[in-house]
Structure formats: C-alpha cells, structure tokens
Amino acid sequence: MNEIRETDRFECVVLNIIENLMWKGITVEEKDTKGRVYFGRVKGKLDIKEGDTLYLGVRPTYEVEDKTMKVFLYDAEDNKLDWTLV
C-alpha cells in the first residue's frame, strides 16, 4: 500500500452490499473490535460478496472539524476501493 502502513491495516469482513447501476454500497466489520464502516462508492463491476475479506487502512486527519480518521477500503491485492471520513 502506498498510503497506509502495514501496521495501520485491519482485516474486515463484508456484512452487506447494496447495488445500484454504477456503485456498490458496502458495510464491513473489523474482526477484532466489531466496528463497522460503510463505503458508498465502490465500483459496481468488482466481484465482492457478503462474507468476503477486505482490509481497512486508517489515517488520522485534521482537515475536518468533527471527523478524526480517514478510512480506506482495500482488497487483498492492496487496490484502493473507496474511502470515507469517520
């Protein structure tokens, strides 16, 4: 990964997928903490199913007042699928 160090990467499982014409909305759950994150703009052509393993990358952010972390969603090949602020 270019942006996230290996120590800031967390394994997660896909809980839910909402599909529309161009995008997928994907909810993932981090395996250890059971924390959940929703990503709303994952490319629709990707073959992702409920129960699949994906990875979260976390970086602190100071750009937005009420958001403290920028969270990235990666596949097993370290391709960035989406990001969000939490």
Side-chain angles (χ1 to χ4, degrees):
M1 290 185 212
N2 295 335
E3 297 182 27
I4 304 296
R5 297 182 319 221
E6 188 70 24
T7 57
D8 296 329
R9 177 179 152 166
F10 305 95
E11 190 172 326
C12 60
V13 63
V14 176
L15 293 181
N16 187 29
I17 300 172
I18 300 169
E19 295 189 45
N20 67 29
L21 296 176
M22 295 190 61
W23 306 101
K24 290 182 181 182
I26 296 179
T27 303
V28 296
E29 181 177 83
E30 200 274 330
K31 290 189 173 190
D32 293 331
T33 65
K34 304 295 184 200
R36 294 181 180 184
V37 181
Y38 175 76
F39 296 91
R41 294 187 63 116
V42 177
K43 291 183 181 177
K45 294 182 180 182
L46 296 173
D47 184 28
I48 299 172
K49 299 177 287 303
E50 290 181 15
D52 284 355
T53 299
L54 295 176
Y55 299 89
L56 296 176
V58 180
R59 175 185 290 166
T61 185
Y62 306 102
E63 303 162 3
V64 183
E65 285 181 24
D66 61 338
K67 307 294 183 185
T68 60
M69 302 299 279
K70 191 169 190 178
V71 182
F72 299 89
L73 183 65
Y74 292 94
D75 65 10
E77 289 80 40
D78 291 335
N79 297 310
K80 188 188 313 181
L81 305 177
D82 198 6
W83 66 273
T84 192
L85 294 172
V86 293

